[in-house]
């Protein structure tokens, strides 16, 4: 089984996430920090995936639009 591939080209766009492609080729993103229970209750997730890179980017953008994110800044 091959190792996951970190997708360095997306890292500057989403610095709060580690973005990688699994050995099966599916794109994933994992937050660089733990979420509080309150953040999870507001819809934030620690790890997301997409069928392809475009779907993953859309999911990452949606996570950044969540109300919990705006209250953190």
């Amino acid at each position: 089984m091959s190792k996951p591939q970190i997708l360095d080209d997306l890292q500057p766009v989403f610095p709060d996430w580690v973005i990688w492609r699994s050995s099966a080729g599916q794109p994933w993103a994992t937050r660089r920090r733990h979420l509080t229970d309150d953040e999870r209750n507001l819809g934030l997730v620690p790890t997301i995936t997409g069928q392809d890179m475009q779907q993953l980017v859309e999911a990452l953008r949606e996570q950044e639009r969540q109300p919990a994110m705006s209250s953190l800044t």
Side-chain angles (χ1 to χ4, degrees):
M1 183 182 332
S2 62
K3 293 172 63 175
Q5 175 187 1
I6 301 297
L7 302 174
D8 292 330
D9 52 336
L10 283 179
Q11 290 303 155
V13 180
F14 300 101
D16 296 331
W17 297 84
V18 175
I19 302 167
W20 50 281
R21 188 180 306 276
S22 71
S23 59
Q26 192 168 8
W28 291 80
T30 301
R31 289 189 190 271
R32 294 185 182 274
R33 65 174 185 85
H34 280 334
L35 296 173
T36 66
D37 289 340
D38 289 338
E39 289 171 322
R40 286 177 183 254
N41 290 337
L42 289 171
L44 297 182
V45 295
T47 302
I48 55 178
T49 188
Q51 294 299 317
D52 56 32
M53 196 56 63
Q54 180 179 351
Q55 191 179 63
L56 179 69
V57 167
E58 289 171 10
L60 287 166
R61 287 183 178 144
E62 178 61 30
Q63 281 290 293
E64 291 187 345
R65 284 191 294 267
Q66 293 292 329
M69 290 308 293
S70 59
S71 68
L72 294 174
T73 56

